[in-house]
């Protein structure tokens, strides 16, 4: 999906990321971008659609920016709602690049998900669920991101489990490990086009496989041209050494799709993680993941105001720790994910 990786060194990654969106707030550049995008998709009358949609696209981006700015400067009592609608504006801009007639009907303007009505006195975010509807923004967005079907319901803890940056908080709060950091060798082998990396030996116990069986298991989930191979060199006890070979990529950090394997994820700094469980709950686009979690928090904020206030302001809820971590992360990462989608390139904004 992503052609290349761009690492942008800067003093303020969040500011630099949003400054990069200014490219889409100019009518001439937006028209050219939309026309090029539509032509790549073989959409007839690409120039006409680009002219018609330029202003709409620009206002989606500008509105999203204002939602995010307002959210960062707002009280936690209303922050999830502002972030959610910022997400929606960004996603509408992306969908417009895939469907020049969007919105063609009112059904695609619905949320596309519902959350269950809270009846119990006790509330746990981890145990809450989100239900996917047949029509609306979420399923329509998903149709452009993946060929796999969405499940009917998702448990929030399962969604939190596969967000790399939340793993330290996830382990502290839920006493479980769902992602394992991958240790990459920075060595570039220009002859073999090979990336060497390390994992703790305990991963073999978790999947009940031998070293060679584990490599075969990894290769089952490849989605690109890369393949995993064993390493003949000895390593210290407690870790395993593996190789990732690609016909065109010198190193995995230079690959737009990373390992291009369902078992591996990466954070917004470019670090990689191995996914311990391979289940349907753990195998959706991170953009869809963020959307569903933020929807639940937004609905709590909007319709369960008293309970939301208790979560935010009392010392009785363990959810507050994870909620604060997620809101802070999503405010930074989600616009980055959409920016990558729009340009079909990964962008890592890092401090000097």
């Amino acid at each position: 999906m992503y052609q290349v990786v761009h690492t942008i060194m800067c003093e303020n990654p969040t500011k630099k990321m949003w400054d990069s969106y200014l490219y889409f707030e100019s009518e001439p550049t937006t028209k050219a971008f939309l026309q090029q995008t539509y032509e790549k998709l073989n959409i007839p009358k690409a120039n006409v659609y680009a002219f018609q949609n330029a202003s709409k696209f620009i206002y989606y981006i500008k509105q999203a920016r204002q939602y995010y700015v307002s959210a960062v400067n707002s009280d936690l009592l209303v922050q999830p709602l502002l972030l959610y609608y910022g997400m929606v504006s960004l996603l509408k801009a992306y969908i417009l690049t895939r469907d020049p007639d969007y919105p063609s009907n009112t059904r695609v303007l619905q949320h596309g998900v519902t959350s269950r009505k809270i009846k119990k006195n006790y509330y746990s975010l981890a145990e809450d669920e989100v239900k996917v509807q047949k029509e609306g923004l979420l399923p329509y967005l998903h149709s452009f991101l993946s060929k796999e079907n969405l499940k009917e319901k998702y448990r929030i803890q399962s969604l939190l489990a596969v967000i790399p940056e939340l793993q330290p908080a996830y382990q502290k709060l839920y006493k479980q490990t769902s992602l394992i950091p991958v240790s990459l060798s920075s060595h570039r082998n220009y002859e073999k086009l090979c990336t060497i990396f390390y994992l703790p030996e305990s991963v073999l116990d978790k999947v009940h496989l031998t070293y060679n069986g584990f490599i075969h298991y990894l290769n089952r989930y490849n989605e690109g041209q890369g393949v995993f191979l064993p390493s003949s060199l000895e390593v210290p006890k407690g870790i395993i050494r593996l190789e990732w070979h690609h016909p065109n990529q010198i190193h995995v950090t230079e690959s737009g799709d990373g390992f291009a394997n369902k078992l591996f994820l990466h954070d917004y700094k470019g670090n990689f993680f191995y996914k311990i469980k391979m289940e349907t709950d753990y195998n959706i686009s991170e953009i869809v993941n963020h959307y569903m979690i933020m929807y639940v928090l937004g609905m709590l904020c909007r319709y369960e105001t008293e309970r939301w206030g208790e979560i935010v302001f009392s010392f009785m809820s363990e959810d507050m720790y994870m909620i604060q971590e997620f809101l802070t992360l999503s405010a930074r990462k989600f616009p980055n994910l959409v920016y990558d989608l729009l340009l079909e390139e990964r962008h890592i904004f890092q401090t000097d």
Side-chain angles (χ1 to χ4, degrees):
M1 180 184 289
Y2 300 113
Q3 306 300 317
V4 295
V5 180
H6 299 286
T7 300
I8 298 101
M9 307 306 291
C10 53
E11 292 184 3
N12 187 328
T14 302
K15 182 179 183 301
K16 182 63 177 177
M17 177 193 63
W18 278 113
D19 286 348
S20 299
Y21 267 102
L22 290 172
Y23 175 82
F24 297 120
E25 295 186 27
S26 161
E27 198 163 302
T29 55
T30 296
K31 283 180 183 176
F33 167 73
L34 289 175
Q35 182 171 339
Q36 183 181 25
T37 303
Y38 293 151
E39 287 174 349
K40 191 185 294 185
L41 295 171
N42 297 315
I43 294 173
K45 299 180 181 178
N47 61 328
V48 176
Y49 275 121
F51 177 79
Q52 291 175 347
N53 289 334
S55 293
K56 186 191 296 186
F57 183 91
I58 290 170
Y59 283 120
Y60 281 149
I61 298 296
K62 290 178 75 68
Q63 187 179 55
R65 180 196 293 274
Q66 289 306 310
Y67 273 126
Y68 275 91
V69 169
S70 298
V72 170
N73 295 316
S74 71
D75 191 271
L76 199 58
L77 202 61
V78 295
Q79 198 175 82
L81 205 56
L82 292 168
L83 288 173
Y84 174 73
Y85 283 111
M87 281 183 171
V88 169
S89 295
L90 286 176
L91 294 178
K92 285 180 177 179
Y94 169 70
I95 292 173
L96 193 63
T97 67
R98 295 297 178 266
D99 176 7
D101 290 314
Y102 178 81
S104 57
N105 59 68
T106 55
R107 295 189 300 277
V108 295
L109 294 174
Q110 298 168 2
H111 297 294
V113 286
T114 58
S115 56
R116 60 185 180 183
K117 187 169 180 59
I118 300 170
K119 297 178 181 178
K120 300 177 182 177
N121 290 329
Y122 169 75
Y123 175 79
S124 168
L125 177 68
E127 295 172 10
D128 206 348
E129 293 178 337
V130 59
K131 186 174 181 180
V132 179
Q133 297 180 311
K134 291 182 179 180
E135 295 182 309
L137 179 64
L138 180 72
Y140 197 50
L141 166 70
H142 179 74
S143 69
F144 297 113
L145 301 178
S146 174
K147 294 179 182 178
E148 296 185 18
N149 293 326
L150 286 168
K151 283 179 54 180
E152 182 182 344
K153 289 189 296 186
Y154 288 88
R155 190 164 172 258
I156 298 301
Q157 184 172 337
S158 296
L159 299 177
L160 294 168
V162 286
I163 299 179
E165 294 87 349
L166 294 182
Q167 190 60 201
Y170 184 89
Q171 291 177 9
K172 282 181 184 177
L173 195 57
Y174 305 128
K175 312 303 179 189
Q176 298 176 19
T177 299
S178 54
L179 301 175
I180 297 175
V182 175
S183 179
L184 294 177
S185 169
S186 59
H187 174 70
R188 262 66 170 168
N189 189 326
Y190 293 92
E191 294 180 2
K192 295 172 65 177
L193 298 184
C194 161
T195 300
I196 297 168
F197 67 99
Y198 304 86
L199 285 170
E201 194 173 17
S202 58
V203 299
L204 301 180
D205 295 328
K206 294 181 185 300
V207 291
H208 308 291
L209 292 169
T210 63
Y211 175 71
N212 288 322
F214 179 62
I215 290 172
H216 178 72
Y217 170 72
L218 293 181
N219 283 319
R220 281 170 47 195
Y221 294 100
N222 286 331
E223 296 182 305
Q225 295 179 279
V227 293
F228 296 91
L229 295 174
S231 172
S232 58
L233 296 179
E234 290 188 13
V235 293
K237 188 174 177 59
I239 62 173
I240 56 174
R241 185 179 191 268
L242 303 100
E243 296 180 1
W244 181 75
H245 294 250
H246 195 284
N248 305 315
Q249 300 293 341
I250 296 171
H251 197 271
V252 70
T253 55
E254 298 166 20
S255 167
D257 290 325
F259 285 107
N261 182 288
K262 291 180 181 179
L263 290 167
F264 291 88
L265 304 169
H266 53 78
D267 63 17
Y268 65 78
K269 293 182 179 180
N271 302 308
F272 288 89
F273 295 79
Y274 167 72
K275 197 188 306 180
I276 293 175
K277 293 184 179 179
M278 188 58 203
E279 299 174 1
T280 51
D281 278 30
Y282 296 85
N283 195 30
I284 58 173
S285 162
E286 189 170 351
I287 282 186
V288 171
N289 194 326
H290 278 244
Y291 179 89
M292 288 198 281
I293 298 171
M294 196 67 77
Y295 173 82
V296 168
L297 295 179
M299 293 304 101
L300 270 174
C301 169
R302 185 175 181 180
Y303 295 113
E304 301 284 346
T305 309
E306 183 178 357
R307 189 179 299 274
W308 176 245
E310 291 171 356
I311 293 171
V312 171
F313 295 116
S314 77
F315 299 104
M316 302 301 292
S317 173
E318 66 176 17
D319 290 326
M320 194 58 245
Y321 174 50
M322 182 59 77
I323 289 171
Q324 183 67 74
E325 291 283 314
F326 173 74
L327 292 176
T328 302
L329 169 68
S330 191
R332 163 65 181 88
K333 190 175 186 182
F334 191 85
N336 202 153
L337 292 172
V338 177
Y339 186 70
D340 292 349
L341 265 185
L342 289 170
L343 293 177
E344 297 182 338
E345 297 174 345
R346 277 180 58 213
H347 299 80
I348 300 172
F349 298 92
Q350 288 188 344
T351 53
D352 296 331

